Amino acid sequence: MTTYPPQFAPYLAAGPIVAADHPEIRRLAAKLQATGDGSPTDTARRCFEYVRDQIRHSWDYRADAHNPLTCAAPQVLAERTGYCYAKSHLLAALLRANGIPVALCYQRLTLEPGGARYCLHGLNAVYLPGHGWYRLDPRGNKPGVEARFTPPNEQLAFALGYPGELDFPGLYPEPVAAIQDLLQRCASVQEAMDQLPDATALPPAPLNLPLKER
Protein backbone atom coordinates (compact mmCIF):
# COMPACT_ATOMS: atom_id res chain seq x y z
CA MET A 1 0.00 0.00 0.00
CA THR A 2 1.24 3.49 -0.85
CA THR A 3 2.27 5.64 2.13
CA TYR A 4 1.36 9.32 2.02
CA PRO A 5 2.57 12.28 4.12
CA PRO A 6 0.58 13.20 7.25
CA GLN A 7 -0.89 16.34 5.68
CA PHE A 8 -2.77 14.10 3.25
CA ALA A 9 -4.84 12.51 6.03
CA PRO A 10 -7.89 14.81 5.49
CA TYR A 11 -7.90 13.82 1.81
CA LEU A 12 -8.19 10.14 2.74
CA ALA A 13 -10.86 10.55 5.41
CA ALA A 14 -14.53 9.63 5.24
CA GLY A 15 -17.10 12.27 6.19
CA PRO A 16 -20.85 12.81 6.05
CA ILE A 17 -20.73 13.93 2.39
CA VAL A 18 -17.63 12.17 1.10
CA ALA A 19 -18.81 8.96 2.75
CA ALA A 20 -15.96 6.65 1.79
CA ASP A 21 -16.91 4.24 4.58
CA HIS A 22 -20.47 3.62 3.34
CA PRO A 23 -21.01 -0.07 2.46
CA GLU A 24 -22.24 0.58 -1.07
CA ILE A 25 -19.41 3.00 -1.76
CA ARG A 26 -16.87 0.46 -0.49
CA ARG A 27 -18.44 -2.32 -2.52
CA LEU A 28 -18.30 -0.36 -5.77
CA ALA A 29 -14.81 0.98 -5.03
CA ALA A 30 -13.49 -2.57 -4.51
CA LYS A 31 -15.19 -3.77 -7.69
CA LEU A 32 -13.69 -0.98 -9.79
CA GLN A 33 -10.23 -1.59 -8.35
CA ALA A 34 -10.48 -5.34 -8.95
CA THR A 35 -11.24 -4.87 -12.67
CA GLY A 36 -7.79 -3.36 -13.26
CA ASP A 37 -4.19 -3.81 -12.17
CA GLY A 38 -4.83 -2.34 -8.72
CA SER A 39 -2.40 0.57 -9.10
CA PRO A 40 -3.51 4.01 -7.87
CA THR A 41 -3.40 5.44 -11.39
CA ASP A 42 -5.44 2.65 -12.98
CA THR A 43 -7.92 2.63 -10.10
CA ALA A 44 -8.30 6.41 -10.30
CA ARG A 45 -9.03 6.18 -14.01
CA ARG A 46 -11.66 3.49 -13.54
CA CYS A 47 -13.40 5.39 -10.73
CA PHE A 48 -13.30 8.61 -12.76
CA GLU A 49 -14.76 7.00 -15.87
CA TYR A 50 -17.49 5.32 -13.85
CA VAL A 51 -18.69 8.57 -12.30
CA ARG A 52 -18.26 10.51 -15.54
CA ASP A 53 -20.20 8.01 -17.65
CA GLN A 54 -22.62 6.20 -15.31
CA ILE A 55 -23.90 9.07 -13.15
CA ARG A 56 -26.07 11.55 -15.00
CA HIS A 57 -25.50 15.28 -14.68
CA SER A 58 -28.61 16.82 -13.11
CA TRP A 59 -28.94 19.72 -15.52
CA ASP A 60 -28.42 17.62 -18.65
CA TYR A 61 -31.41 15.48 -17.58
CA ARG A 62 -33.52 18.23 -16.02
CA ALA A 63 -36.57 17.28 -18.08
CA ASP A 64 -36.72 13.76 -16.61
CA ALA A 65 -39.62 13.04 -14.27
CA HIS A 66 -37.31 11.47 -11.68
CA ASN A 67 -34.26 13.69 -11.23
CA PRO A 68 -33.78 14.40 -7.51
CA LEU A 69 -31.23 16.85 -6.20
CA THR A 70 -28.39 14.91 -4.55
CA CYS A 71 -25.44 15.79 -2.34
CA ALA A 72 -23.86 12.99 -0.26
CA ALA A 73 -21.94 10.32 -2.15
CA PRO A 74 -24.24 7.38 -1.21
CA GLN A 75 -27.29 9.34 -2.38
CA VAL A 76 -25.57 10.23 -5.66
CA LEU A 77 -24.76 6.56 -6.22
CA ALA A 78 -28.27 5.37 -5.31
CA GLU A 79 -30.05 7.91 -7.51
CA ARG A 80 -27.37 7.86 -10.24
CA THR A 81 -27.66 11.60 -10.79
CA GLY A 82 -26.06 14.78 -9.49
CA TYR A 83 -24.77 18.23 -10.28
CA CYS A 84 -21.03 18.58 -10.88
CA TYR A 85 -20.56 19.09 -7.14
CA ALA A 86 -22.40 15.91 -6.21
CA LYS A 87 -20.56 13.87 -8.83
CA SER A 88 -17.25 15.11 -7.44
CA HIS A 89 -18.40 14.01 -3.96
CA LEU A 90 -19.00 10.48 -5.26
CA LEU A 91 -15.68 10.32 -7.08
CA ALA A 92 -13.89 11.50 -3.95
CA ALA A 93 -15.62 8.82 -1.87
CA LEU A 94 -14.72 6.03 -4.31
CA LEU A 95 -11.08 7.05 -4.47
CA ARG A 96 -10.73 7.43 -0.69
CA ALA A 97 -12.37 4.03 -0.21
CA ASN A 98 -9.47 2.70 -2.29
CA GLY A 99 -6.89 4.54 -0.20
CA ILE A 100 -6.15 7.23 -2.80
CA PRO A 101 -5.91 10.89 -1.67
CA VAL A 102 -8.39 13.13 -3.42
CA ALA A 103 -9.60 16.70 -2.98
CA LEU A 104 -12.54 18.77 -4.11
CA CYS A 105 -11.66 21.70 -6.38
CA TYR A 106 -13.54 24.57 -7.96
CA GLN A 107 -13.53 26.80 -11.00
CA ARG A 108 -15.46 30.00 -11.63
CA LEU A 109 -17.36 29.72 -14.92
CA THR A 110 -19.79 31.95 -16.72
CA LEU A 111 -23.39 30.81 -16.96
CA GLU A 112 -24.20 33.37 -19.64
CA PRO A 113 -21.39 34.01 -22.13
CA GLY A 114 -21.07 37.75 -22.43
CA GLY A 115 -23.35 38.18 -19.42
CA ALA A 116 -22.73 38.90 -15.78
CA ARG A 117 -23.72 35.66 -14.06
CA TYR A 118 -21.01 33.30 -12.85
CA CYS A 119 -20.99 30.18 -10.68
CA LEU A 120 -18.68 27.74 -9.00
CA HIS A 121 -18.03 24.53 -10.91
CA GLY A 122 -16.98 21.47 -8.91
CA LEU A 123 -14.29 18.97 -9.89
CA ASN A 124 -11.55 16.89 -8.22
CA ALA A 125 -7.80 16.62 -7.82
CA VAL A 126 -6.31 13.19 -7.15
CA TYR A 127 -2.78 12.53 -5.90
CA LEU A 128 -1.07 10.09 -8.26
CA PRO A 129 2.37 8.58 -7.57
CA GLY A 130 4.79 9.91 -10.16
CA HIS A 131 2.51 12.80 -11.10
CA GLY A 132 1.45 14.59 -7.91
CA TRP A 133 -1.89 16.35 -7.70
CA TYR A 134 -3.83 15.91 -10.93
CA ARG A 135 -7.18 17.56 -11.66
CA LEU A 136 -9.98 15.59 -13.29
CA ASP A 137 -13.58 16.50 -13.97
CA PRO A 138 -16.29 13.82 -13.73
CA ARG A 139 -19.06 16.23 -14.79
CA GLY A 140 -20.07 14.05 -17.74
CA ASN A 141 -19.33 14.44 -21.43
CA LYS A 142 -21.68 15.75 -24.10
CA PRO A 143 -21.24 17.62 -27.38
CA GLY A 144 -18.68 20.33 -26.70
CA VAL A 145 -17.60 18.80 -23.37
CA GLU A 146 -14.89 16.12 -23.42
CA ALA A 147 -13.17 15.43 -20.10
CA ARG A 148 -10.60 12.63 -20.03
CA PHE A 149 -8.05 10.99 -17.74
CA THR A 150 -4.70 11.63 -19.41
CA PRO A 151 -2.04 12.27 -16.71
CA PRO A 152 0.11 14.26 -16.56
CA ASN A 153 -1.91 16.33 -19.04
CA GLU A 154 -5.23 17.75 -17.89
CA GLN A 155 -8.29 17.45 -20.08
CA LEU A 156 -11.06 19.09 -18.08
CA ALA A 157 -14.68 19.59 -19.06
CA PHE A 158 -14.31 23.35 -19.44
CA ALA A 159 -11.41 25.51 -20.58
CA LEU A 160 -11.40 29.04 -19.26
CA GLY A 161 -12.31 31.29 -22.15
CA TYR A 162 -14.41 34.21 -20.94
CA PRO A 163 -13.47 37.25 -18.88
CA GLY A 164 -14.04 36.61 -15.19
CA GLU A 165 -13.54 32.84 -15.37
CA LEU A 166 -10.99 31.49 -12.92
CA ASP A 167 -9.20 28.36 -11.72
CA PHE A 168 -8.96 28.21 -7.93
CA PRO A 169 -5.93 26.45 -6.43
CA GLY A 170 -7.63 25.28 -3.23
CA LEU A 171 -7.64 21.58 -2.35
CA TYR A 172 -10.67 21.04 -0.10
CA PRO A 173 -11.09 17.84 1.95
CA GLU A 174 -14.87 18.38 2.20
CA PRO A 175 -17.35 20.38 0.13
CA VAL A 176 -17.43 24.06 1.01
CA ALA A 177 -20.41 25.11 3.15
CA ALA A 178 -22.18 27.02 0.39
CA ILE A 179 -22.29 23.93 -1.82
CA GLN A 180 -23.59 21.70 0.95
CA ASP A 181 -26.25 24.26 1.82
CA LEU A 182 -27.35 24.62 -1.80
CA LEU A 183 -27.75 20.90 -2.43
CA GLN A 184 -29.41 20.15 0.90
CA ARG A 185 -31.71 23.17 1.03
CA CYS A 186 -33.07 23.42 -2.51
CA ALA A 187 -36.09 21.34 -3.44
CA SER A 188 -35.34 20.83 -7.13
CA VAL A 189 -32.67 20.89 -9.82
CA GLN A 190 -34.14 24.12 -11.19
CA GLU A 191 -34.13 25.83 -7.79
CA ALA A 192 -30.47 24.92 -7.34
CA MET A 193 -29.62 26.26 -10.80
CA ASP A 194 -31.25 29.56 -9.96
CA GLN A 195 -29.07 29.89 -6.84
CA LEU A 196 -25.67 28.50 -7.87
CA PRO A 197 -23.02 30.20 -5.70
CA ASP A 198 -20.22 32.39 -7.03
CA ALA A 199 -16.59 32.63 -5.96
CA THR A 200 -17.29 34.62 -2.81
CA ALA A 201 -18.41 31.31 -1.26
CA LEU A 202 -14.86 29.90 -1.20
CA PRO A 203 -12.92 29.96 2.09
CA PRO A 204 -9.15 29.32 2.26
CA ALA A 205 -8.10 25.70 1.69
CA PRO A 206 -5.56 23.67 3.72
CA LEU A 207 -3.44 22.96 0.61
CA ASN A 208 -3.20 24.57 -2.81
CA LEU A 209 -2.33 23.47 -6.30
CA PRO A 210 0.55 25.23 -8.10
CA LEU A 211 -1.75 26.35 -10.89
CA LYS A 212 0.71 28.91 -12.25
CA GLU A 213 2.87 25.99 -13.39
CA ARG A 214 0.06 24.50 -15.44
Coordinates of all heavy atoms in Angstrom, one line a residue, residues 28 32 44-58 60-61 76-77 80-84 86-92 94 124 134 136-142 145-150 155-157:
L28 N -18.6 -0.8 -4.4 CA -18.3 -0.4 -5.8 C -16.8 0.0 -5.9 O -16.2 -0.4 -7.0 CB -19.2 0.9 -6.1 CG -18.9 1.5 -7.5 CD1 -19.1 0.4 -8.6 CD2 -19.8 2.7 -7.7
L32 N -14.4 -1.7 -8.8 CA -13.7 -1.0 -9.8 C -12.2 -1.2 -9.7 O -11.5 -1.4 -10.7 CB -14.0 0.5 -9.6 CG -15.4 0.9 -10.0 CD1 -15.7 2.4 -9.6 CD2 -15.7 0.7 -11.5
A44 N -7.8 5.1 -10.2 CA -8.3 6.4 -10.3 C -9.0 6.6 -11.6 O -10.1 7.2 -11.7 CB -7.2 7.4 -10.1
R45 N -8.4 6.1 -12.7 CA -9.0 6.2 -14.0 C -10.4 5.4 -14.0 O -11.4 6.0 -14.6 CB -8.1 5.6 -15.1 CG -8.7 5.7 -16.5 CD -7.8 5.0 -17.5 NE -7.6 3.6 -17.3 CZ -8.5 2.7 -17.7 NH1 -9.6 3.0 -18.3 NH2 -8.2 1.4 -17.5
R46 N -10.4 4.3 -13.5 CA -11.7 3.5 -13.5 C -12.8 4.2 -12.7 O -13.9 4.2 -13.1 CB -11.4 2.1 -13.1 CG -10.5 1.3 -14.0 CD -10.2 -0.1 -13.5 NE -9.2 -0.7 -14.5 CZ -9.6 -1.4 -15.6 NH1 -10.9 -1.5 -15.9 NH2 -8.7 -1.9 -16.4
C47 N -12.4 4.7 -11.5 CA -13.4 5.4 -10.7 C -13.9 6.6 -11.4 O -15.1 7.0 -11.4 CB -12.8 5.7 -9.4 SG -12.5 4.3 -8.3
F48 N -12.9 7.4 -12.0 CA -13.3 8.6 -12.8 C -14.3 8.3 -13.9 O -15.3 9.0 -14.1 CB -12.0 9.3 -13.3 CG -12.3 10.3 -14.4 CD1 -12.9 11.5 -14.1 CD2 -11.9 10.0 -15.7 CE1 -13.1 12.4 -15.1 CE2 -12.2 10.9 -16.7 CZ -12.7 12.1 -16.5
E49 N -13.9 7.3 -14.7 CA -14.8 7.0 -15.9 C -16.1 6.5 -15.5 O -17.1 6.8 -16.1 CB -14.0 6.0 -16.8 CG -12.8 6.6 -17.5 CD -12.1 5.7 -18.3 OE1 -12.3 4.4 -18.3 OE2 -11.1 6.1 -19.1
Y50 N -16.2 5.8 -14.3 CA -17.5 5.3 -13.9 C -18.4 6.5 -13.5 O -19.5 6.6 -14.0 CB -17.3 4.4 -12.6 CG -18.7 3.9 -12.1 CD1 -19.2 2.8 -12.5 CD2 -19.4 4.7 -11.1 CE1 -20.5 2.4 -12.1 CE2 -20.6 4.3 -10.7 CZ -21.1 3.1 -11.1 OH -22.4 2.8 -10.7
V51 N -17.9 7.4 -12.7 CA -18.7 8.6 -12.3 C -19.0 9.5 -13.5 O -20.1 9.9 -13.7 CB -18.0 9.4 -11.2 CG1 -18.8 10.6 -10.8 CG2 -17.8 8.5 -10.0
R52 N -18.0 9.7 -14.3 CA -18.3 10.5 -15.5 C -19.4 9.9 -16.4 O -20.2 10.7 -16.9 CB -17.0 10.6 -16.4 CG -17.1 11.5 -17.6 CD -15.9 11.3 -18.5 NE -15.8 10.0 -19.1 CZ -14.9 9.5 -19.9 NH1 -13.8 10.3 -20.2 NH2 -14.9 8.3 -20.4
D53 N -19.3 8.6 -16.6 CA -20.2 8.0 -17.6 C -21.5 7.4 -17.1 O -22.5 7.3 -17.8 CB -19.4 6.9 -18.4 CG -18.2 7.5 -19.1 OD1 -18.2 8.7 -19.4 OD2 -17.3 6.7 -19.4
Q54 N -21.5 6.9 -15.8 CA -22.6 6.2 -15.3 C -23.5 7.0 -14.4 O -24.7 6.6 -14.1 CB -22.1 5.0 -14.5 CG -21.3 4.0 -15.4 CD -22.0 3.5 -16.6 OE1 -23.2 3.2 -16.6 NE2 -21.3 3.5 -17.7
I55 N -23.1 8.2 -14.0 CA -23.9 9.1 -13.1 C -24.3 10.3 -14.0 O -23.5 11.0 -14.5 CB -23.1 9.5 -11.9 CG1 -22.6 8.3 -11.1 CG2 -24.0 10.4 -11.0 CD1 -23.6 7.3 -10.6
R56 N -25.6 10.5 -14.1 CA -26.1 11.5 -15.0 C -25.9 12.9 -14.4 O -26.0 13.1 -13.1 CB -27.6 11.3 -15.3 CG -27.9 10.0 -15.9 CD -29.4 9.8 -16.2 NE -30.2 10.2 -15.1 CZ -31.5 10.3 -15.2 NH1 -32.1 10.1 -16.3 NH2 -32.3 10.6 -14.1
H57 N -25.6 13.9 -15.2 CA -25.5 15.3 -14.7 C -26.9 15.8 -14.6 O -27.7 15.8 -15.5 CB -24.7 16.2 -15.6 CG -24.4 17.5 -15.1 ND1 -25.3 18.5 -15.1 CD2 -23.3 18.0 -14.4 CE1 -24.8 19.6 -14.5 NE2 -23.6 19.3 -14.1
S58 N -27.2 16.4 -13.4 CA -28.6 16.8 -13.1 C -29.2 17.7 -14.2 O -30.3 17.6 -14.6 CB -28.6 17.5 -11.7 OG -28.3 16.7 -10.7
D60 N -28.3 18.2 -17.3 CA -28.4 17.6 -18.6 C -29.7 16.8 -18.7 O -30.3 16.7 -19.8 CB -27.2 16.7 -19.0 CG -25.9 17.4 -19.1 OD1 -26.0 18.7 -19.2 OD2 -24.9 16.8 -19.2
Y61 N -30.2 16.3 -17.6 CA -31.4 15.5 -17.6 C -32.5 16.2 -16.8 O -33.4 15.5 -16.2 CB -31.1 14.1 -17.0 CG -30.2 13.3 -17.9 CD1 -28.8 13.4 -17.8 CD2 -30.7 12.4 -18.8 CE1 -27.9 12.7 -18.6 CE2 -29.9 11.7 -19.7 CZ -28.5 11.8 -19.5 OH -27.7 11.1 -20.4
V76 N -25.9 10.1 -4.2 CA -25.6 10.2 -5.7 C -25.5 8.9 -6.3 O -26.0 8.7 -7.4 CB -24.2 11.0 -5.8 CG1 -23.9 11.2 -7.3 CG2 -24.3 12.3 -5.1
L77 N -24.9 7.9 -5.7 CA -24.8 6.6 -6.2 C -26.1 5.9 -6.3 O -26.4 5.3 -7.4 CB -23.8 5.7 -5.3 CG -23.6 4.3 -5.8 CD1 -23.1 4.2 -7.2 CD2 -22.7 3.5 -4.8
R80 N -28.1 7.8 -9.0 CA -27.4 7.9 -10.2 C -27.5 9.2 -11.0 O -27.6 9.2 -12.2 CB -27.8 6.7 -11.1 CG -27.6 5.3 -10.4 CD -27.9 4.2 -11.3 NE -26.8 4.0 -12.3 CZ -25.7 3.4 -12.1 NH1 -25.4 2.9 -10.9 NH2 -24.8 3.2 -13.0
T81 N -27.6 10.3 -10.2 CA -27.7 11.6 -10.8 C -27.1 12.6 -9.8 O -27.0 12.4 -8.6 CB -29.1 12.0 -11.1 OG1 -29.2 13.2 -11.8 CG2 -30.0 12.1 -9.9
G82 N -26.6 13.7 -10.4 CA -26.1 14.8 -9.5 C -25.5 15.9 -10.3 O -25.1 15.7 -11.4
Y83 N -25.5 17.1 -9.7 CA -24.8 18.2 -10.3 C -23.3 17.9 -10.2 O -22.8 16.9 -9.6 CB -25.1 19.5 -9.5 CG -26.2 20.3 -10.1 CD1 -27.4 20.4 -9.4 CD2 -26.0 21.0 -11.3 CE1 -28.5 21.2 -9.9 CE2 -27.1 21.8 -11.8 CZ -28.3 21.9 -11.1 OH -29.3 22.6 -11.6
C84 N -22.5 18.8 -10.9 CA -21.0 18.6 -10.9 C -20.5 18.4 -9.5 O -19.6 17.5 -9.2 CB -20.3 19.7 -11.6 SG -20.7 21.4 -10.8
A86 N -22.0 17.2 -6.8 CA -22.4 15.9 -6.2 C -21.6 14.8 -6.9 O -21.2 13.8 -6.2 CB -23.9 15.7 -6.4
K87 N -21.4 14.9 -8.2 CA -20.6 13.9 -8.8 C -19.1 13.9 -8.3 O -18.5 12.8 -8.2 CB -20.6 14.1 -10.3 CG -22.0 13.9 -10.9 CD -22.0 13.9 -12.5 CE -21.3 12.7 -13.1 NZ -21.5 12.6 -14.5
S88 N -18.6 15.1 -8.0 CA -17.2 15.1 -7.4 C -17.2 14.5 -6.0 O -16.2 13.9 -5.6 CB -16.7 16.6 -7.4 OG -17.3 17.4 -6.4
H89 N -18.3 14.6 -5.3 CA -18.4 14.0 -4.0 C -18.3 12.5 -4.1 O -17.6 11.8 -3.3 CB -19.7 14.4 -3.2 CG -19.9 15.9 -3.1 ND1 -21.1 16.4 -2.8 CD2 -19.1 16.9 -3.2 CE1 -21.0 17.7 -2.7 NE2 -19.8 18.0 -3.0
L90 N -19.0 11.9 -5.1 CA -19.0 10.5 -5.3 C -17.6 10.0 -5.7 O -17.1 9.0 -5.2 CB -20.1 10.1 -6.3 CG -20.1 8.6 -6.7 CD1 -20.2 7.7 -5.4 CD2 -21.1 8.3 -7.7
L91 N -17.0 10.7 -6.6 CA -15.7 10.3 -7.1 C -14.7 10.4 -5.9 O -13.9 9.5 -5.7 CB -15.2 11.2 -8.2 CG -13.8 10.9 -8.8 CD1 -13.7 9.4 -9.2 CD2 -13.4 11.8 -9.9
A92 N -14.8 11.4 -5.1 CA -13.9 11.5 -3.9 C -14.1 10.3 -3.0 O -13.1 9.7 -2.5 CB -14.1 12.8 -3.2
L94 N -15.2 7.3 -3.7 CA -14.7 6.0 -4.3 C -13.2 5.9 -4.2 O -12.6 4.9 -3.9 CB -15.2 5.9 -5.8 CG -16.7 5.7 -6.0 CD1 -17.0 5.9 -7.5 CD2 -17.1 4.3 -5.5
N124 N -12.4 17.6 -9.2 CA -11.5 16.9 -8.2 C -10.1 17.1 -8.6 O -9.7 17.4 -9.7 CB -11.8 15.4 -8.2 CG -13.2 15.1 -7.7 OD1 -14.1 14.9 -8.6 ND2 -13.4 14.9 -6.4
Y134 N -3.4 15.9 -9.5 CA -3.8 15.9 -10.9 C -5.3 16.2 -10.9 O -6.1 15.4 -10.3 CB -3.5 14.6 -11.6 CG -4.1 14.4 -13.0 CD1 -3.5 15.1 -14.1 CD2 -5.1 13.5 -13.2 CE1 -4.0 14.9 -15.3 CE2 -5.6 13.4 -14.5 CZ -5.1 14.1 -15.6 OH -5.6 13.9 -16.8
L136 N -9.1 16.3 -12.4 CA -10.0 15.6 -13.3 C -11.4 16.0 -13.0 O -11.8 16.3 -11.9 CB -9.8 14.1 -13.2 CG -10.0 13.4 -11.9 CD1 -9.9 11.9 -12.1 CD2 -9.1 13.8 -10.7
D137 N -12.2 16.0 -14.0 CA -13.6 16.5 -14.0 C -14.6 15.4 -14.4 O -14.8 15.2 -15.6 CB -13.7 17.7 -14.9 CG -15.0 18.5 -14.7 OD1 -15.9 17.9 -14.1 OD2 -15.0 19.7 -15.0
P138 N -15.3 14.9 -13.4 CA -16.3 13.8 -13.7 C -17.7 14.3 -14.1 O -18.7 13.6 -14.1 CB -16.4 13.0 -12.4 CG -16.2 14.1 -11.4 CD -15.2 15.1 -12.0
R139 N -17.8 15.6 -14.5 CA -19.1 16.2 -14.8 C -19.9 15.4 -15.7 O -21.2 15.3 -15.6 CB -18.8 17.6 -15.4 CG -20.1 18.4 -15.8 CD -20.1 18.7 -17.2 NE -21.3 19.5 -17.6 CZ -22.4 18.9 -18.1 NH1 -22.4 17.6 -18.4 NH2 -23.5 19.6 -18.4
G140 N -19.3 14.8 -16.7 CA -20.1 14.1 -17.7 C -19.9 14.7 -19.1 O -20.1 15.9 -19.2
N141 N -19.5 13.9 -20.1 CA -19.3 14.4 -21.4 C -20.6 14.6 -22.2 O -21.6 13.9 -21.9 CB -18.4 13.5 -22.2 CG -17.0 13.6 -21.6 OD1 -16.6 14.5 -20.9 ND2 -16.2 12.6 -21.9
K142 N -20.6 15.5 -23.2 CA -21.7 15.7 -24.1 C -21.1 16.5 -25.2 O -19.9 16.9 -25.2 CB -22.8 16.5 -23.4 CG -22.4 17.9 -22.9 CD -23.6 18.7 -22.3 CE -23.2 20.1 -21.9 NZ -24.3 20.8 -21.3
V145 N -18.2 19.1 -24.7 CA -17.6 18.8 -23.4 C -16.9 17.4 -23.4 O -17.6 16.4 -23.7 CB -18.6 18.8 -22.2 CG1 -18.0 18.4 -20.9 CG2 -19.3 20.2 -22.1
E146 N -15.6 17.4 -23.3 CA -14.9 16.1 -23.4 C -13.8 16.0 -22.4 O -12.6 16.4 -22.6 CB -14.3 16.0 -24.8 CG -13.6 14.7 -25.2 CD -14.6 13.6 -25.3 OE1 -15.8 13.8 -25.6 OE2 -14.2 12.4 -25.2
A147 N -14.1 15.6 -21.2 CA -13.2 15.4 -20.1 C -12.6 14.0 -20.2 O -13.3 13.0 -20.3 CB -13.8 15.7 -18.8
R148 N -11.3 13.9 -20.0 CA -10.6 12.6 -20.0 C -9.5 12.5 -18.9 O -9.1 13.5 -18.4 CB -10.0 12.4 -21.4 CG -11.0 12.3 -22.5 CD -10.4 11.8 -23.8 NE -11.4 11.5 -24.8 CZ -12.1 10.4 -24.9 NH1 -12.0 9.4 -24.1 NH2 -13.0 10.3 -25.9
F149 N -9.1 11.3 -18.7 CA -8.0 11.0 -17.7 C -6.8 10.7 -18.5 O -6.6 9.6 -19.1 CB -8.5 9.8 -16.9 CG -7.5 9.4 -15.8 CD1 -7.6 10.0 -14.6 CD2 -6.5 8.5 -16.0 CE1 -6.7 9.7 -13.5 CE2 -5.6 8.1 -15.0 CZ -5.8 8.7 -13.7
T150 N -5.9 11.7 -18.6 CA -4.7 11.6 -19.4 C -3.5 12.2 -18.7 O -2.8 13.1 -19.2 CB -4.9 12.4 -20.7 OG1 -5.3 13.8 -20.4 CG2 -6.0 11.8 -21.6
Q155 N -7.3 17.2 -19.1 CA -8.3 17.4 -20.1 C -9.6 17.6 -19.3 O -10.3 16.6 -19.1 CB -8.4 16.3 -21.1 CG -9.3 16.7 -22.3 CD -9.2 15.8 -23.5 OE1 -8.2 15.1 -23.7 NE2 -10.3 15.6 -24.2
L156 N -9.9 18.8 -18.9 CA -11.1 19.1 -18.1 C -12.3 19.3 -19.0 O -12.2 19.5 -20.2 CB -10.8 20.3 -17.2 CG -9.6 20.2 -16.3 CD1 -9.4 21.5 -15.5 CD2 -9.7 19.0 -15.3
A157 N -13.4 19.4 -18.3 CA -14.7 19.6 -19.1 C -14.7 21.0 -19.7 O -15.3 21.1 -20.8 CB -15.9 19.4 -18.1

